[in-house]
Amino acid sequence: DAKTTQPPSMDCAEGRAANLPCNHSTISGNEYVYWYRQIHSQGPQYIIHGLKNNETNEMASLIITEDRKSSTLILPHATLRDTAVYYCIVRVGSGNTGKLIFGQGTTLQVKP
Amino acid sequence: DGGITQSPKYLFRKEGQNVTLSCEQNLNHDAMYWYRQDPGQGLRLIYYSQIVNDFQKGDIAEGYSVSREKKESFPLTVTSAQKNPTAFYLCASSPLGGGWGNQPQHFGDGTRLSIL
């Protein structure tokens, strides 16, 4: 599976949009981009995933560049409860264990 | 509500003792997984199962055992052979249809295991 690179930490003001970048320059054509977040002492929470097109759900939006070498997770109106470690993961579509490989992630601190 | 239930939330083990962590899901998912997370680290796959009565070793299976007798249950036993069992253990499940890549894994809230 392709590796990802994320900034170790980011701050965001409450009520503002949080834009979390991720680089995955070695991504293959059949690899999906996934985002999870983990609040301390809890299990990871699935946020969103995509292959080529931009995606939006009730939690966030995922913007994938045309060459698919990077993506951005957007939390449109960050709240204090969005403070967490955010993980960007690329994952092969088939033929492997299906495991998720979590890197170090980005610690997002939402401030009042 | 549908979800994944892990129990207990905290577990303490004496040296030389086997302990079993419970994982139950009512999402009707075919695949189930066990991961281990150490402080400040990412998740590492211990075992996974795609179907009842079948399971496969992950990256760090030594010192662990699992069973999958029912679709909704995937218990993990941490044996005395696991020399460094102190960690946060996470269970996950996902559907299988449409290929691995397009099916999110959903996680329980974990069991924190400590050695006395």
Side-chain angles (χ1 to χ4, degrees), chain A residues 45-105:
Chain A
Q45 179 187 23
Y46 165 75
I47 302 173
I48 199 167
H49 75 287
L51 184 62
K52 296 179 182 178
N53 299 323
N54 298 337
E55 302 286 345
T56 296
N57 63 21
E58 65 278 5
M59 290 183 67
S61 295
L62 173 61
I63 308 299
I64 302 174
T65 58
E66 191 170 345
D67 63 8
R68 301 207 327 120
K69 293 186 177 182
S70 66
S71 60
T72 301
L73 177 74
I74 301 172
L75 307 178
H77 304 287
T79 71
L80 298 178
R81 290 190 296 177
D82 292 322
T83 293
V85 180
Y86 287 76
Y87 296 99
C88 170
I89 301 161
V90 293
R91 187 174 179 218
V92 174
S94 63
N96 72 345
T97 66
K99 68 182 177 183
L100 296 170
I101 302 174
F102 285 70
Q104 296 301 306

Side-chain angles (χ1 to χ4, degrees), chain A residues 30 32 34 36 38 40-46 49 87 91-104, chain B residues 9 33 35 37 40-43 45 48 59 88 90 94 98-110 112:
Chain A
N30 65 346
Y32 289 77
Y34 274 78
Y36 281 79
Q38 188 173 25
H40 184 62
S41 296
Q42 295 183 18
Q45 179 187 23
Y46 165 75
H49 75 287
Y87 296 99
R91 187 174 179 218
V92 174
S94 63
N96 72 345
T97 66
K99 68 182 177 183
L100 296 170
I101 302 174
F102 285 70
Q104 296 301 306
Chain B
K9 190 170 179 64
Y33 309 79
Y35 291 88
Q37 187 174 33
Q41 303 295 315
L43 278 64
L45 183 67
Y48 66 102
D59 299 321
F88 189 42
L90 289 156
S94 74
W100 297 105
N102 201 24
Q103 299 292 350
Q105 289 182 19
H106 295 274
F107 287 81
D109 277 336
R112 195 167 297 279

